């Protein structure tokens, strides 16, 4: 039997949380973690423009390690994460989406942008009640961030074209599950319309 799943009412004020749109995830010629994702980059570029025009908060995340003790079990499970060395080109945000002054880049060690960071505090201080979660990958860090956003009582929107995954089946399955239980998955144009 299907769950009674409803659409969330729109937030009063959204923040854009761009998850791991770093070179290590966007350039497959440089990293085993990356995939070709020009459409995802373009969708995020459009959202960035809209959020900047509106003056609503923009926060980027990246994964970067400078000590063997950081997320050691996660890195044992996925050894490719070890390429994400702090200070390397791979942990920099993709140059097509360069953060502007006042747009923080939070360093995280695990999947969720909330776990072990001050993201929730930043969002509360910015007076937001909703987040648009974008980036890479849908089945990993995007999903974990969306779930934690809900658990911090934020209204969660996922612009469908602004998220991506190396695995197409995992991408679709996770979007479906997120839509049913944790977030509203919407067309990019619908999300842009909310930003005026």
């Amino acid at each position: 039997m299907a769950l009674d799943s409803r659409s969330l009412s729109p937030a009063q004020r959204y923040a854009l949380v761009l998850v791991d749109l770093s070179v290590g995830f966007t350039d497959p010629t440089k990293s085993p973690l990356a995939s070709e994702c020009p459409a995802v980059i373009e969708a995020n570029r459009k959202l960035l423009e809209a959020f900047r025009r509106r003056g609503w908060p923009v926060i980027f995340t990246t994964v970067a390690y400078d000590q063997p003790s950081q997320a050691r079990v996660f890195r044992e499970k996925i050894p490719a994460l070890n390429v994400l060395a702090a200070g390397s080109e791979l942990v920099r945000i993709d140059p097509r989406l360069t953060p502007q002054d006042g747009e923080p880049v939070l360093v995280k060690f695990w999947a969720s942008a909330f776990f072990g960071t001050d993201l929730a505090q930043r969002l509360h201080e910015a007076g937001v009640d909703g987040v648009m979660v974008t980036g890479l990958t849908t089945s990993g860090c995007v999903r974990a961030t969306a779930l934690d956003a809900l658990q911090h009582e934020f209204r969660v929107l996922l612009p469908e074209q602004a998220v991506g995954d190396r695995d197409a089946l995992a991408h679709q399955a996770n979007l479906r599950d997120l839509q049913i239980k944790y977030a509203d998955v919407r067309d990019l144009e619908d999300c842009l319309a909310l930003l005026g």
Side-chain angles (χ1 to χ4, degrees):
M1 188 166 98
L3 284 174
D4 178 15
S5 175
R6 304 177 184 188
S7 294
L8 296 167
S9 56
Q12 297 292 311
R13 177 176 164 89
Y14 286 98
L16 179 61
V17 178
L18 301 100
V19 177
D20 300 349
L21 286 164
S22 61
V23 173
F25 289 93
T26 63
D27 189 341
T29 69
K30 296 178 179 172
S31 169
L33 297 163
S35 58
E36 288 289 347
C37 56
V40 172
I41 296 290
E42 178 60 18
N44 276 277
R45 192 190 60 73
K46 290 179 179 178
L47 285 163
L48 272 173
E49 286 180 358
F51 267 85
R52 288 165 177 166
R53 273 197 310 270
R54 187 78 189 244
W56 280 357
V58 170
I59 299 174
F60 293 81
T61 75
T62 190
V63 178
Y65 302 111
D66 60 10
Q67 296 176 32
S69 61
Q70 294 163 337
R72 67 186 190 285
V73 177
F74 189 25
R75 292 160 77 182
E76 178 184 339
K77 180 68 177 171
I78 306 174
L81 289 169
N82 290 310
V83 302
L84 301 175
S88 75
E89 177 191 11
L90 297 183
V91 305
R92 292 192 198 109
I93 301 303
D94 189 292
R96 294 169 287 182
L97 302 168
T98 301
Q100 294 184 351
D101 289 345
E103 296 174 352
V105 179
L106 300 185
V107 175
K108 64 188 184 69
F109 305 142
W110 290 277
S112 172
F114 288 89
F115 191 81
T117 75
D118 65 351
L119 177 57
Q121 178 183 338
R122 287 174 183 264
L123 294 173
H124 287 301
E125 288 173 354
V128 305
D129 59 331
V131 291
M132 288 194 198
V133 179
T134 69
L136 304 166
T137 60
T138 310
S139 61
C141 297
V142 169
R143 179 190 176 88
T145 299
L147 175 56
D148 274 1
L150 177 80
Q151 291 175 160
H152 281 88
E153 297 289 2
F154 294 107
R155 298 175 180 280
V156 186
L157 262 182
L158 269 74
E160 186 170 1
Q161 295 89 337
V163 296
D165 202 293
R166 292 174 298 273
D167 183 326
L169 291 177
H171 172 73
Q172 290 301 327
N174 278 275
L175 283 181
R176 181 176 184 275
D177 193 57
L178 284 162
Q179 166 64 37
I180 292 169
K181 292 184 273 197
Y182 306 118
D184 286 335
V185 178
R186 294 287 178 266
D187 186 82
L188 174 65
E189 294 304 319
D190 293 340
C191 294
L192 290 169
L194 287 174
L195 302 168

